[in-house]
Amino acid sequence: MAETTSPAVKDRYDYEELLACARGELFGPGNAQLPAPPMLLFHRIVTINKDGGKYGKGYIEAEFDITPDLWFFDCHFLGDPVMPGSLGLDAMWQLVGFFLGWIGGKGRGRALGCGNVKFAGQVTQDITKVVYKVDMKRVINRSLVMGLGDAVLEADGKPIYWAEDLRVGLMSPEALAR
């Protein structure tokens, strides 16, 4: 089982640890969780830190192994299999939310929007690896927990998606009930 006492001391996470996060075991009950497969859209976090990245506010990088049998290729689009761009964008939000839990933020993660998004390529069945890179721009960890980041998705080393000002908040159960 993944370590649950000090997740922030780690600078990388394997797939089993990401699954523990999806079960609510990594950051504690009621706090940030990743979605479970098939919506968990990366296999490992290869680096995470609090003061790296373009803005010095934190950086997270994750990898997703692409295989032709992934679920979305069977339905998007029939006869023209491609990963939906919205899934790549969702993975970027997932990583911002994970970062907020990793720094000790409390509450359940919710995507709050983003600024600009650009798609300049596709993830098709011939791609072998997707890499997500997120530069945190602003991090608030008080009674309000929110992260703002810029991200890029690379397909076999080529940048093809960009998202600016990805916003994720951690919400208390009371806020979610409203």
Side-chain angles (χ1 to χ4, degrees):
M1 180 185 293
E3 180 179 331
T4 58
T5 54
S6 301
V9 298
K10 297 191 63 151
D11 63 357
R12 60 183 47 238
Y13 291 83
D14 65 24
Y15 191 64
E16 290 305 314
E17 292 166 319
L18 299 178
L19 292 176
C21 185
R23 293 187 302 267
E25 298 168 1
L26 194 60
F27 303 124
N31 291 317
Q33 286 180 248
L34 290 168
M39 284 302 297
L40 177 58
L41 298 166
F42 40 92
H43 291 110
R44 67 204 143 269
I45 293 174
V46 296
T47 189
I48 184 170
N49 60 63
K50 291 182 185 178
D51 55 6
K54 185 167 39 172
Y55 307 102
K57 305 282 185 179
Y59 178 79
I60 186 167
E61 184 173 320
E63 297 176 343
F64 186 34
D65 299 322
I66 302 298
T67 58
D69 61 345
L70 286 168
W71 66 273
F72 46 78
F73 287 132
D74 288 336
C75 56
H76 189 265
F77 297 98
L78 295 178
D80 183 19
V82 62
M83 177 178 165
S86 58
L87 291 182
L89 184 59
D90 195 76
M92 296 173 187
W93 273 313
Q94 291 175 22
L95 288 165
V96 174
F98 185 93
F99 183 88
L100 294 175
W102 181 79
I103 63 166
K106 301 298 180 198
R108 295 194 179 273
R110 296 296 187 265
L112 301 175
C114 65
N116 295 318
V117 175
K118 179 181 177 184
F119 299 107
Q122 324 177 77
V123 177
T124 57
Q125 291 176 309
D126 62 326
I127 299 296
T128 59
K129 183 166 49 172
V130 163
V131 175
Y132 307 99
K133 297 178 179 182
V134 181
D135 292 295
M136 298 303 296
K137 288 174 88 168
R138 183 156 188 220
V139 179
I140 301 167
N141 189 10
R142 297 188 292 267
S143 57
L144 167 69
V145 180
M146 191 176 86
L148 185 73
D150 290 347
V152 63
L153 179 154
E154 296 177 354
D156 287 343
K158 180 182 176 188
I160 62 167
Y161 300 177
W162 296 264
E164 296 176 344
D165 297 331
L166 290 160
R167 291 182 298 284
V168 174
L170 298 185
M171 311 293 174
S172 67
E174 300 79 31
L176 291 171
R178 291 184 209 145

